[in-house]
Structure formats: C-alpha cells, structure tokens
Amino acid sequence: MRRILSISIISLLVTFLSMPCVAQRDYDAHRNRHECRHHRPQYYVGNNDVYFDGRKIEGASSSSFSILRDGYAKDAWTVYYCGVKIDGATVNSFKVLGYGYAKDTWNVYYNGSKIEGASSESFNVLEDWYAKDTWNVYYDGIKISGASTDSFKVLREGYAKDTWNVYFDGKKIEGASLDSFKCGRDGYARDNWNTYYYGVKI
C-alpha cells in the first residue's frame, strides 16, 4: 500500500513540476513565431554586389542600396524583401511601418507580399501584428472577417477586442464576455465565467 501511495505521489509531483516548463515552451513558441521573422536582416553590400544571407541579389545596385528594417531594402529602382524583388513596389514612396508591414503610394505589403484590397492612404499599424484601414482590420496581413475598424482595440499579448467580440491572434474567441474580459500575463486572460490561455478556454 505504501509503495502504491509513494508511486502516486511521485507521479503527481512530476506532473506538477513539468507544467511550468510546458507553459514556458508554449509561451516562447508564441513569442518566437513572430520575432524570428523580424530578426536583423542579413544584407551585405559589397563593392559591386549586394547579398542576402550569402546569396547574391541579381541586379541590385550596390551604390544606391539602402537597408531598411523588417527584412526590407531598396535601391534606386527596386524594393526587396529578404533579398527578393517586390514586383510593382514604388521605390520613392516606399515606407516600412513595422511588424512586417510596409506601403507605398498605391499598395500595402506584409512580409513582402501585397495585401489585396488594403487602402494605402488610410492604413495604420497598431500593435502585436494587428493593423487596420478605413474598412478592414488585419492580423498577420490577413483580414479579420467582421471586425469593427471604428471600435477595434489591441489589448496585449495577442488579445484584442471590438464592440462585438474578443480576439486572440486575429481569431474570435467564441463565448468570451466582452464587458468583463481582462488580460493577465504570459498568455492568460479571463472574464466573469472562464479563464483563457493563449485564446483557448481552460
């Protein structure tokens, strides 16, 4: 009986002690999912050539090449993302906005790809990879269906809300109470009825 009891206690202790490690791994994975994309760009400008991560960028002008941020760069004729030409981007008006977003006079881009339908004139980057224009709200460069641009507000750690819904990483949290929703730390949040971990009810 004592042997069975001892084994049970040891098993419970192992489970309990391992939980913070699992939670920390989940937290780190969530943070790194974005942060790894926006590490310092590995551009190198030589005397006559330009390189990205050891690969020569064909046609790039070393004399006019300018390294921006979030992986973007440009020369006198072309805009690049991670060493790849962005077709149609206008050099003179190109501007990096942060969180992987950028725009020129005509278009908005996310990680070097054009966001179809986004309004360059009214586009505004918020926080935590959220952004919006006059008509739509975006997360990771993808439109959040049904989100209200007028009332949309970023909370923290991926959580956000508008007049009607609560979101995590751009996805609606079904059943979350808007009025009582509060963010904690390390991915936790709660309302009057439930607790959430990275947007999932627990």
Side-chain angles (χ1 to χ4, degrees):
M1 183 66 181
R2 287 182 179 179
R3 180 180 176 83
I4 295 173
L5 185 60
S6 297
I7 293 172
S8 298
I9 292 172
I10 292 171
S11 177
L12 286 171
L13 283 172
V14 169
T15 301
F16 178 78
L17 291 172
S18 66
M19 285 177 66
C21 297
V22 172
Q24 185 63 44
R25 285 199 299 271
D26 289 343
Y27 176 71
D28 290 342
H30 171 77
R31 300 290 293 181
N32 292 338
R33 183 162 66 86
H34 290 298
E35 289 173 359
C36 67
R37 298 189 210 162
H38 304 287
H39 64 281
R40 186 174 180 178
Q42 301 300 310
Y43 286 100
Y44 174 75
V45 181
N47 292 330
N48 300 304
D49 299 307
V50 182
Y51 301 85
F52 182 84
D53 279 347
R55 174 179 56 81
K56 181 180 177 180
I57 304 174
E58 296 295 338
S61 167
S62 60
S63 61
S64 64
F65 199 86
S66 176
I67 300 172
L68 305 176
R69 57 192 174 114
D70 288 357
Y72 291 100
K74 66 179 182 178
D75 60 20
W77 301 277
T78 305
V79 180
Y80 304 88
Y81 177 75
C82 292
V84 178
K85 178 181 178 180
I86 303 177
D87 290 328
T90 305
V91 175
N92 293 337
S93 63
F94 192 86
K95 181 181 180 181
V96 179
L97 304 175
Y99 291 101
Y101 293 99
K103 71 176 183 178
D104 58 22
T105 303
W106 312 108
N107 298 302
V108 180
Y109 307 88
Y110 180 72
N111 287 352
S113 297
K114 179 182 174 181
I115 303 177
E116 295 294 338
S119 167
S120 175
E121 183 178 359
S122 63
F123 197 86
N124 181 34
V125 174
L126 305 175
E127 297 177 8
D128 291 346
W129 291 269
Y130 286 99
K132 68 177 183 177
D133 59 20
T134 302
W135 298 279
N136 296 300
V137 180
Y138 304 87
Y139 179 81
D140 259 0
I142 298 172
K143 176 183 173 181
I144 303 175
S145 181
S148 168
T149 57
D150 292 334
S151 63
F152 194 87
K153 180 181 179 182
V154 178
L155 302 176
R156 64 182 183 185
E157 297 198 21
Y159 290 101
K161 67 178 182 177
D162 60 16
T163 304
W164 314 108
N165 297 298
V166 179
Y167 305 87
F168 178 77
D169 280 3
K171 296 180 180 179
K172 179 181 174 181
I173 303 177
E174 297 292 342
S177 170
L178 185 67
D179 294 334
S180 63
F181 193 88
K182 294 182 180 179
C183 290
R185 300 182 64 181
D186 297 342
Y188 286 96
R190 64 181 175 84
D191 58 23
N192 283 344
W193 293 276
N194 297 298
T195 298
Y196 305 88
Y197 184 62
Y198 290 114
V200 179
K201 185 171 69 174
I202 56 176

